[in-house]
Amino acid sequence: MTGDHQTLALVLFSGFVAVTLGITTWVSRHRQGSAEEFYAGGRLFSPMENGFAIAGDYMSAASFLGISGLIALFGYDGLLYSVGFLVAWLVVLFLVAELVRNCGRFTLADVVAARMRERPVRIAAGTSSVAVSVLYLVAQMVGAGSLVALLLGGTSGAARAWTVIGVGALMVIYVSLGGMRATTWIQIVKAVLLLGGTITLTVLVLLRFHGDFDQLLRTAADRSGHGTAFLAPGLAYGEDWTARLDFISLGLALVLGTAGLPHILSRFYTVPTARAARRSVVWSIGLIGGFYLMTIVLGFGAAAIVGPDAVRASNAAGNTAVPLLALDLGGGAGSTGGTVLFAIVAAVAFATILAVVAGITLASSASVAHDLYASLRRKRGEPRGEVAVARVAAVGIGAVAIALGLLARDLNVAFLVGLAFAVAASANLPVLLYSLFWRGFTTRGAVWAVYGGLIPAVALMLLSPVVSGGPDALFPGADFQLFPLQNPGLVSIPLGFLAGWLGTVTSAETPDEAGHAETEVRSLTGAGAA
C-alpha cells in the first residue's frame, strides 16, 4: 500500500485510540474501587446502551474481516458463520438472558454456585471462562496482524508482532483503568462506527451493480473459478463425509456457543433489571442481524469486484477481503477516494478489535479474580482486593493472548472464533442449562459438566488438522493429528452434557431441593437479585 494509505489510516486509528483513552481516563477518575462498579459499571446502563454495547462486543474481527473473507473465498459455505452467529441469539434471548441476570452478580460461576458448593464450581467455571476468553482473544490479535501487514504493503513479521503487542497493551490499559464503564462506552462508539462503515460499503457495492443482487451473485460466481458451485453448498465442506461432519460440528458450535461466552454473559449484569437484560438482547439482535446481512453483500462483493485470487494473494485466509474491497470501491490503488475509504475501513477494523479485546479481557480477568482467586483463598476477598487482582490478571491474560496470537497469525479469524465457540458450548452451556433447569443437579455434576466438555474440546483441538498434519496447520512440520475434524463441537458438546448427567446420577450428594426452589423463584421473578 502507498504511504498515503498508511498515513491516513494511522491518523484515523490514532484518533480513535485517543478518544477511547480519553473515555478511559475520564471514567478512571470516578470511583472504581467497588467490585460492582469495576465488573458491572454500577448496573446503570439502559437497554439501548447495553444493546449497542453487546453488538459492539459481539461484532468482532471475525465478523467484519473473517466472515466476509470466507464468503469471498468459498461462497455459500461461508454463509454458515453469518447464519450461526445470528441464530445463536435466539438461544440467548429465550433461555439465558433474563435468568442469568437474576441469578448471578458478575460471572457465569455466580449462576452455577447459587445452589452448589462454591469452591469446586467456581474453580471449574472460572478455568473454562479463561480458556474461552483466551481463544477468542487470539482471533482478534490475528485480525490486527493481518490488517497491519496489508497496510504496510507486505507480510512483515516484525510489523505483525508489534501490532499484536500494541493491541494487547491497549486492552490492558482500557480494562485496568476504566473497568466495565469505560469498556462499555468504547464498545458503543465502536458499534456505531462499524455499522456506519458497513452500511457505506454495502451501499457502494449495490450501487456498483445498480441494485441488482442477482447480477452481483452471478459476477461473483464467474470470477470465483468455480461457476455455479460457488453459490451452492459443498465448496468448503462437501468433499467427503469428514468435511460434512465438520460442517455440522461448526454449526452446532456457533449456534450453542454464544450462550456460553463469558464476555456476553457479563453484559447482562450491567443493566438494573432482568427485563432490561431481555430488552438489551432485542436491541442487539436487530443491530447484529442487520450487520450480518450486510456481511453477505460484502463477501460476495469482494468475490465479484476484487476476485478470490487477489484476496488469497493478499492473505491466504481471506482476512483482508473487506479492506481490499474498500480500496477498489473508492477508485482503486493510488486514488484519493480509494485511499480515504481504505483508511476508514482499516481504522474501523482496528477499532473493532480494540473494543472486543477490552470486553473479553475484562470478563476473563473478572473470572480470575472473582472466581479463581477468591475460591483458592477459601473465602470471599474484599471487593477492593478482588479488583486489584483483576487488574493484574488482565496483564497476564494479555500476555498469553499476545503469544498465541503470534503463533496463529496465518489462520482465518472467523475460523479461530469458531473454535472458541466450540469450547464455550462444550464447557459452559451444559453447566449453565443444567443449573437453571434441572432440579436434581449436583456439585459433582456441575464440575464434571465443565471439565467433561472443556478437556475433550481442547484435547481434540490439539489433535486436529488445525494444529498439525498439513501445510496450513499451526505446526506444518509436525504430524500428531489423530482427530479428523477441524472443529471439535460435534463430539465435545454432547460429552459436556453427558458428563454433567453422569456426574449427577453417580453422586452421593443429596440435591439441594430448597436451593433449587430458591434459585428458580429468583431466576423467574428477580426476587433477591443483585
Side-chain angles (χ1 to χ4, degrees):
M1 296 298 158
T2 65
D4 290 340
H5 289 114
Q6 180 181 353
T7 303
L8 188 55
L10 290 177
V11 167
L12 290 171
F13 175 59
S14 299
F16 176 81
V17 171
V19 169
T20 52
L21 285 176
I23 292 172
T24 303
T25 304
W26 176 73
V27 169
S28 66
R29 294 177 179 175
H30 294 69
R31 55 188 180 87
Q32 289 291 322
S34 71
E36 184 172 283
E37 178 68 28
F38 186 80
Y39 295 145
R43 310 190 199 279
L44 299 175
F45 293 100
S46 69
M48 186 181 73
E49 290 169 344
N50 198 43
F52 269 88
I54 291 172
D57 218 353
Y58 195 69
M59 297 183 303
S60 66
S63 304
F64 190 51
L65 301 178
I67 293 176
S68 300
L70 286 172
I71 294 174
L73 296 181
F74 301 109
Y76 183 95
D77 280 8
L79 292 176
L80 175 64
Y81 286 87
S82 292
V83 174
F85 283 148
L86 182 56
V87 171
W89 281 97
L90 298 178
V91 179
V92 176
L93 177 62
F94 292 117
L95 291 181
V96 172
E98 263 188 287
L99 306 183
V100 165
R101 173 61 188 86
N102 283 336
C103 286
R105 293 185 66 223
F106 306 125
T107 65
L108 164 70
D110 287 336
V111 180
V112 183
R115 62 187 184 97
M116 309 286 181
R117 294 200 311 276
E118 284 205 30
R119 189 166 185 263
V121 167
R122 286 192 179 277
I123 291 174
T127 301
S128 69
S129 295
V130 172
V132 172
S133 298
V134 168
L135 276 173
Y136 212 111
L137 282 172
V138 170
Q140 311 310 312
M141 301 298 192
V142 170
S146 299
L147 264 179
V148 166
L150 177 63
L151 188 64
L152 299 182
T155 55
S156 168
R160 285 190 177 193
W162 283 110
T163 301
V164 169
I165 293 170
V167 170
L170 283 170
M171 76 183 186
V172 170
I173 292 171
Y174 290 149
V175 172
S176 299
L177 295 181
M180 178 59 84
R181 192 185 292 266
T183 299
T184 299
W185 283 111
I186 290 168
Q187 287 162 347
I188 292 172
V189 172
K190 168 256 173 157
V192 173
L193 288 175
L194 181 60
L195 288 169
T198 308
I199 290 170
T200 301
L201 290 179
T202 301
V203 170
L204 290 175
V205 169
L206 293 176
L207 286 176
R208 177 71 68 91
F209 292 92
H210 309 290
D212 189 344
F213 191 69
D214 187 51
Q215 183 186 351
L216 167 63
L217 294 179
R218 287 198 305 270
T219 307
D222 291 341
R223 293 204 63 179
S224 70
H226 298 284
T228 55
F230 190 70
L231 305 178
L235 197 59
Y237 296 105
E239 293 181 7
D240 51 33
W241 278 107
T242 300
R244 294 170 189 173
L245 289 174
D246 230 335
F247 186 84
I248 297 172
S249 185
L250 177 62
L252 279 173
L254 296 180
V255 171
L256 299 178
T258 299
L261 293 176
H263 65 292
I264 297 299
L265 294 175
S266 67
R267 292 240 51 94
F268 300 137
Y269 301 128
T270 64
V271 289
T273 64
R275 182 171 182 267
R278 186 177 68 251
R279 290 175 61 199
S280 297
V281 176
V282 174
W283 269 99
S284 64
I285 286 176
L287 296 169
I288 293 167
F291 172 76
Y292 282 125
L293 287 176
M294 290 186 286
T295 61
I296 296 172
V297 177
L298 297 186
F300 283 113
I305 296 172
V306 180
D309 291 338
V311 171
R312 198 175 279 109
S314 171
N315 182 275
N319 294 329
T320 55
V322 170
L324 289 174
L325 175 64
L327 183 63
D328 194 293
L329 290 172
S335 67
T336 301
T339 299
V340 170
L341 196 56
F342 173 88
I344 290 173
V345 168
V348 168
F350 273 124
T352 295
I353 291 166
L354 286 178
V356 173
V357 297
I360 301 168
T361 306
L362 179 61
S364 53
S365 61
S367 291
V368 171
H370 187 64
D371 300 326
L372 299 178
Y373 167 74
S375 296
L376 292 174
R377 292 190 67 211
R378 295 182 177 273
K379 62 179 180 179
R380 305 303 301 166
E382 291 294 322
R384 290 183 181 274
E386 274 192 23
V387 171
V389 172
R391 289 180 167 132
V392 174
V395 178
I397 290 166
V400 172
I402 287 170
L404 293 176
L406 294 174
L407 185 66
R409 62 182 177 270
D410 294 323
L411 296 180
N412 181 277
V413 287
F415 172 74
L416 287 169
V417 166
L419 297 179
F421 273 62
V423 177
S426 304
N428 291 346
L429 185 63
V431 71
L432 180 61
L433 294 183
Y434 279 150
S435 297
L436 292 173
F437 299 109
W438 187 6
R439 183 176 297 273
F441 198 43
T442 64
T443 300
R444 176 192 278 186
V447 173
W448 282 27
V450 173
Y451 292 129
L454 176 64
I455 295 173
V458 174
L460 293 176
M461 194 185 306
L462 293 175
L463 298 175
S464 74
V466 177
V467 177
S468 70
D472 298 326
L474 287 181
F475 302 105
D479 188 2
F480 45 86
Q481 173 198 339
L482 296 176
F483 182 65
L485 305 184
Q486 293 187 332
N487 191 293
L490 185 63
V491 176
S492 59
I493 295 172
L495 284 178
F497 281 99
L498 178 63
W501 173 82
L502 191 61
T504 297
V505 298
T506 60
S507 174
E509 174 186 352
T510 303
D512 186 356
E513 297 282 348
H516 176 79
E518 181 182 344
T519 302
E520 188 174 42
V521 171
R522 180 174 166 181
S523 67
L524 295 175
T525 67

